[in-house]
Amino acid sequence: MSATPAGIAEAARLIKAGDVVAFPTETVYGLGADATNDNAVARIFAVKGRPSFNPLIVHVADIAQARRLARWTDLADKLAAQFWPGALTLVLERAADCPLSLLVSAGLSSVAIRLPAHGIASALITVAGRPIAAPSANASGAMSPTTAAHVAASLGDKVPLIVDGGPCKVGVESTVIDLTGDVPILLRPGGVALEDIEAALGRSIPSALDDEEHPKSPGMLARHYAPRSQLRLDALSAEAGETLLGFGPNTPAGTTNLSTTGNLEEAAANLFALLHRLDETATKIAVMPIPETGLGRAINDRLRRAAKRD
Ligand code: AMP
Ligand code: MG
């Protein structure tokens, strides 16, 4: 679909309805969904076939929108003033009343935000009237798409609409800077040069990639969400002292259930919200078996990490 006002209106309608849409930004094409809707965000992971839940970048139409989503800082102000709109993503703590899905943060207390420098992307976010979560619009493991044809080749049969905005100008992903700690940290090199960011801040920025103690793959860079409670997986029932988290129609009545029908997309959408909720009162959580297929692989990956204690 070409990026006419009618095309953008149709894309915005799909986003508001909880569907996914591929759209151009100046970095790469994104696979976008309503960032405030758990089910819509879960669709992104389902369509990409991602084996794990990496946190996603939330795209906004202006700085005011970013400030409503995250705990804004002086450094964020400085970087946004100089590099937004543009290929720089800022990781910030979620605002106390943050309306975003917990799934976009993969259960973390932080969120990655970017204001893209692309007329079609801005128009889409504005017309949809909500922030749009979007990873690159390619199947998991494939290269990032920089034309609508790349998207069509990788995901064509899985997305209802690809907005064609021609080739992406930057063509590589955004630079990701973590502003949640005492010092800014480079999480991913990208479209804005690190040197330019260092010049803007008047300081050098350590890279998480150089850090021996942290895993190197980008998806692993995020500290993973771990509940306070001890987790036991593949539980058929709760033992003494455990709270059961159910899945599917065989779950005992009255139990918190990831999906009563056994729908993995629904379970993914509910995962972090329900874990957070149970974690408020439980000390041990027993999770019923979840099939290792489709989004079940990503759910189990996250649960296994959360269950691991060291
Ligand atoms: P992609 O959506 O594929 O462009 O990748 C997004 C990048 O931003 C990945 O490298 C993520 O690990 C990183 N990212 C997104 N959200 C967060 C977050 N809350 N904390 C740390 N890193 C994040
Ligand atoms: Mg990608």
Side-chain angles (χ1 to χ4, degrees):
M1 159 97 50
S2 65
T4 57
I8 288 168
E10 172 61 4
R13 189 191 65 75
L14 287 165
I15 296 271
K16 285 199 276 192
D19 216 328
V20 295
V21 164
F23 67 101
T25 79
E26 81 279 31
T27 59
V28 301
Y29 273 72
L31 182 64
D34 179 351
T36 65
N37 176 338
D38 284 328
N39 295 299
V41 175
R43 270 222 68 69
I44 292 177
F45 291 104
V47 167
K48 276 187 73 95
R50 269 201 180 172
S52 64
F53 296 129
N54 297 330
L56 302 176
I57 296 171
V58 173
H59 297 74
V60 295
D62 51 46
I63 294 182
Q65 194 174 28
R67 297 178 76 119
R68 285 195 294 275
L69 303 176
R71 233 176 285 158
W72 200 249
T73 67
D74 290 345
L75 282 185
D77 235 7
K78 216 171 195 173
L79 291 176
Q82 177 135 358
F83 298 104
W84 279 7
L88 177 65
T89 295
L90 302 178
V91 175
L92 298 160
E93 289 297 335
R94 292 167 64 104
D97 54 354
C98 182
L100 297 171
S101 160
L102 278 177
L103 194 54
V104 298
S105 296
L108 298 168
S109 61
S110 58
V111 61
I113 304 184
R114 184 167 92 84
L115 175 55
H118 196 288
I120 296 168
S122 309
L124 178 57
I125 300 162
T126 303
V127 176
R130 60 206 69 198
I132 294 182
S136 52
N138 53 273
S140 179
M143 277 204 337
S144 290
T146 57
T147 66
H150 292 161
V151 181
S154 187
L155 295 176
D157 51 342
K158 297 199 183 70
V159 284
L161 181 65
I162 302 169
V163 181
D164 189 348
C168 302
K169 282 210 181 89
V170 176
V172 296
E173 286 90 348
S174 58
T175 303
V176 182
I177 301 281
D178 183 352
L179 294 179
T180 61
D182 297 336
V183 296
I185 295 171
L186 175 72
L187 294 185
R188 179 176 76 182
V192 171
L194 182 61
E195 293 82 346
D196 293 344
I197 301 168
E198 290 180 327
L201 296 183
R203 60 178 301 159
S204 70
I205 296 174
S207 166
L209 300 160
D210 299 333
D211 189 337
E212 294 292 309
E213 286 181 9
H214 291 87
K216 303 225 170 5
S217 104
M220 301 291 104
L221 282 176
R223 285 151 298 180
H224 287 297
Y225 166 70
R228 240 179 350 95
S229 309
Q230 218 170 305
L231 234 59
R232 184 167 68 87
L233 309 186
D234 293 318
L236 297 178
S237 59
E239 287 168 8
E242 288 182 336
T243 304
L244 191 64
L245 177 56
F247 174 79
N250 297 331
T251 303
T255 305
T256 303
N257 199 329
L258 288 163
S259 167
T260 54
T261 58
N263 180 311
L264 289 166
E265 230 173 282
E266 185 188 8
N270 289 331
L271 178 66
F272 291 113
L274 292 186
L275 277 178
H276 273 285
R277 196 204 290 167
L278 291 187
D279 205 29
E280 280 169 19
T281 51
T283 49
K284 294 178 179 175
I285 301 172
V287 189
M288 287 179 66
I290 292 160
E292 191 74 10
T293 57
L295 282 192
R297 285 184 300 138
I299 295 170
N300 284 324
D301 169 79
R302 269 300 183 261
L303 286 171
R304 279 193 288 265
R305 287 173 203 277
K308 218 177 275 170
R309 312 235 130 203
D310 42 21

